[in-house]
Amino acid sequence: MHRLDRATRLIMAGALLWPASVTHAQEDNRRVLEEVIVTAQKTEQSSQDVPISLTAVDGEFMKEIGATNLQDIAAYIPNLRFSSDTDPALAQINIRGFGTNPLNAAFESSVGFVQDDMFFGRPSYFAESMFDVARVEVLRGPQGTLFGKNTVAGVFNTSSADPTEEFSGDIRISNANPEERRIEAGAGAMLTDWFGLRLSLLDFDRNGELENTKLDKNFDQYRQRAQRAKFLFLPTDNLKFELTAVNSETESAYWQLQLHLLDEDTRDFLDDYDPQVEDDPFNHQLSQNEDGFLDKGSDTYIGKVSWDIGDLFGLSDVTGTLILGDTGLYIDSAVDLDASPAAIASLPVRSDYEQQSAELRFTGSSDSGLFGLGKRVEFVAGIYWFTSRFEQRVNIVMGEDFGEYLNTQDAAQLASGDPDFNQPLASVPLGADISDAFSASVGEDRYQLDYLLNVDALSWFGQFTWFINEQWAITPGIRFNSEEKNADASGRGVCAAKQTNSPCVLETALSANDYDARGLKRDESDVSPKLSLQYFWGEDLTLFATWAKGFKSG
């Protein structure tokens, strides 16, 4: 357990500020606060000057508390909740109670994820590259003005470690019970006056602690291998090039659901497949015939060019920044849909995602105020382009024991919707349809859903902070976004019986119909305004009120 004074590296910006470190001045031994630099407004600023409710956590603090992912630091960040820490594909994050269930792949996230200035369009990226971290900033509330769509609840703005002036490196090796090992390492430096490099890696293994009595093996295994290379080029004093390449591969057992409150009829049916089947969801024991798995991987490339322009058209400290991003992500998974030792149904899913983006922005300031009024103005303005393609195929596959399951009272209750129903399945209209379909079906039987989504978006954004005097500042901002979505969606039963115009079993059991909806299109235009008022009460306290509007893509 860390002492409280070791936990003070956590920074909370806004009306409350915790010390990033506590130092003792030799003259009077006063406790002083270390300035915290954040990029919550697309430029480096002191957290004290940012009118956003944010929490910033640096990499050193994560090491001190033994944090290995975002889940571990959630307890140190107000208003943040991870709904699940067991699913590497469907991370659900809530900020101030707002979030999005990721089970429906067509729903876009309410919490945005940005790493090294690149926005990622799928929530699965939250677990892809959280290693060798320099800083994590959690911005609460709508952040649409500077970060765009799907940030209505907030943004995770993370940064990986950069090459240092002198050679530096670190390695973290951790072991936990039951049998969990994690190795995280990073090293780099400026190798010449104009070139720097940092290499980092992650190697994580967990053997799992869920005993599967049907397959006689442990579930809940997890393995992740990831690498990052970060290159820094300084061809001139006012020009900087950064190139980041990240690869991540994850293998995991998947969806370890456990049975609960089995009735007598169901237990008798499942006993034939595994005498050890039980319904205690808390004993680290389950019984499934399907060896569920999840394979996930991604490749990401980020290029960043920064040009220190200097004075331009009466403005000072003008900097131009161009960020180009390209990434691809795949998820291949299969689960035991019935979570039992009987082969009733399984659910294999394949998803492929790719996106490209570009952002060009300019920052700067004016010491003459706004039209000669006030003390100073700081601004950021830019244009953002985004395109993505998401493709997913879902299959619900009938198992070889489905016919036996139809003869159970449990199936009759499920078909009728009445938990007290005790008549044969043949007396249920839906059950009769299923029985007829089953007798006509031979071999493979499944219901297949295909979904394809293409997104193209373009936006313009800008905001400025007007320091009226030493105490007061106003920050207005706005973002205009236009987006076009094109989608194809289809569902169909696949079985041999289709050749004789007979229904498929799973299609009938699901009360599903074949459909084919192609060329679906949606155009959107959104405006995300923002207005903040700040009052600087001395050097250690800032009060602010912010009104902001974000949007979530339809």
Side-chain angles (χ1 to χ4, degrees), residues 2-169:
H2 289 280
R3 300 195 310 266
L4 179 61
D5 60 341
R6 289 182 60 81
T8 55
R9 298 187 64 86
L10 178 65
I11 311 304
M12 297 174 59
L16 178 63
L17 180 66
W18 290 2
S21 64
V22 180
T23 61
H24 296 273
Q26 294 182 353
E27 295 80 7
D28 53 12
N29 288 333
R30 290 181 303 171
R31 296 163 65 91
V32 297
L33 300 179
E34 178 182 304
E35 184 179 39
V36 181
I37 302 300
V38 297
T39 57
Q41 297 191 120
K42 300 281 188 177
T43 185
E44 292 188 351
Q45 294 176 287
S46 169
S47 60
Q48 195 78 3
D49 297 333
V50 178
I52 296 174
S53 176
L54 70 87
T55 299
V57 178
D58 65 11
E60 290 302 317
F61 173 75
M62 294 179 65
K63 294 175 184 177
E64 288 185 9
I65 66 172
T68 59
N69 51 42
L70 296 179
Q71 175 76 22
D72 293 338
I73 64 173
Y76 299 87
I77 300 177
N79 310 122
L80 174 65
R81 178 174 180 263
F82 278 67
S83 297
S84 173
D85 63 349
T86 60
D87 195 329
L90 301 175
Q92 181 174 349
I93 300 176
N94 293 56
I95 296 180
R96 292 176 172 172
F98 293 96
T100 302
N101 189 324
L103 282 174
N104 190 327
F107 289 177
E108 299 197 25
S109 179
S110 299
V111 179
F113 179 67
V114 176
Q115 184 159 53
D116 293 332
D117 271 324
M118 179 179 172
F119 174 85
F120 292 87
R122 305 299 300 182
S124 297
Y125 280 99
F126 275 98
E128 284 297 280
S129 52
M130 293 309 298
F131 63 100
D132 200 30
V133 174
R135 185 178 63 256
V136 176
E137 301 169 11
V138 179
L139 318 182
R140 291 179 285 273
Q143 304 297 326
T145 302
L146 293 181
F147 291 95
K149 68 170 188 173
N150 303 333
T151 60
V152 291
V155 168
F156 269 80
N157 185 29
T158 68
S159 302
S160 59
D162 293 321
T164 51
E165 289 291 336
E166 302 292 335
F167 177 82
S168 64

Side-chain angles (χ1 to χ4, degrees), residues 105 115 125 130 271 277 289 326 338 354 422 433 465 521:
Q115 184 159 53
Y125 280 99
M130 293 309 298
D271 273 342
V277 68
N289 68 287
D326 179 90
D338 52 88
E354 62 179 49
N422 57 10
D433 293 340
T465 300
K521 185 175 180 179

Side-chain angles (χ1 to χ4, degrees), residues 330-349:
Y330 75 87
I331 301 175
D332 194 9
S333 66
V335 299
D336 188 344
L337 195 56
D338 52 88
S340 80
I344 300 174
S346 60
L347 183 72
V349 180

Side-chain angles (χ1 to χ4, degrees), residues 18 42 62 64 111 136 146 151 161 164 192 221 240 249 268 275 318 409 425 463 542:
W18 290 2
K42 300 281 188 177
M62 294 179 65
E64 288 185 9
V111 179
V136 176
L146 293 181
T151 60
T164 51
T192 68
Q221 300 96 339
K240 180 169 70 172
E249 299 287 338
D268 290 342
V318 177
Q409 184 177 319
L425 184 62
Q463 77 169 40
T542 301

